[in-house]
Structure formats: C-alpha cells, structure tokens
Amino acid sequence: MFEIIDLLQGAMANPWMLLFLAIWGIGFFVKEHTPLDSSRVPWIVLPVGIALGVALIEVSLAGAIIGGVMALAQMGFYDVVKPLLGSIPPKVGEGGITVDGAGEDDEQ
C-alpha cells in the first residue's frame, strides 16, 4: 500500500505526470461510466486537457497547446490499449470456461 502512496506522491510532484494521469482518469470515466456516445468524448476531454495544461504546466498558449496535445494523445492511446486489454483470456470460471476445462460451447 505504501508503494502506491509513494507513486502517487511522485506523480503529484511532477505536473506533467499529474496532467497525464488526470486526463487519463477523466477520459476513462467519461468513456466508460457515462451514457455519452463515443463521438462526444473528445469534446469533453479536449477542453478539460487544455484547461489542465494551463493550470498545471504553464499559464500561456504553450500550456494550452500542451494540454490539448496530451488530451488527444490520451484518447488515441486509450483506443489502442483497450482492444489489447480486451483480448486477455478470461480466468477459470469466467466467460464460458469451467473448472473441468470444458467450455460452454463444447458439444458433449
């Protein structure tokens, strides 16, 4: 547990990492836990990324650009990682795999 706290304290000390984690968390929440269509997610994450870039990195146009680019990169990165995570085989007892090794689709 203390390792997680140390990791979060390190991220809080680095504004770039904090921006990365904040945009990732907001994007994940909006995409997975709201009824919004996927086409509307960039219209929420991009302005939030721009505002966080200005607030955390630098109060200038450069900070806004950094936040916007980070938000767009996060959305693209999420779309690449999600299918990879979905291809992980289910654990025993989940997804049609039974403890004895016979799946639900097997004819007997």
Side-chain angles (χ1 to χ4, degrees):
M1 182 70 173
F2 290 111
E3 295 86 16
I4 295 172
I5 293 172
D6 290 339
L7 180 67
L8 290 174
Q9 286 176 342
M12 297 284 282
N14 184 350
W16 289 83
M17 185 58 74
L18 186 59
L19 177 66
F20 181 85
L21 292 175
I23 292 174
W24 179 269
I26 291 167
F28 174 78
F29 178 78
V30 169
K31 184 111 176 163
E32 297 294 326
H33 299 292
T34 60
L36 293 174
D37 184 31
S38 292
S39 64
R40 297 192 187 268
V41 172
W43 295 105
I44 295 171
V45 175
L46 185 62
V48 169
I50 291 170
L52 286 174
V54 169
L56 295 174
I57 303 297
E58 184 176 305
V59 182
S60 68
L61 180 61
I65 291 171
I66 290 168
V69 168
M70 185 77 75
L72 292 174
Q74 285 288 6
M75 286 184 276
F77 184 65
Y78 181 81
D79 288 338
V80 168
V81 170
K82 175 130 180 165
L84 296 175
L85 294 176
S87 66
I88 297 172
K91 295 179 183 176
V92 173
E94 296 177 4
I97 298 174
T98 60
V99 176
D100 64 359
E104 291 177 358
D105 296 333
D106 293 340
E107 297 285 329
Q108 300 223 357

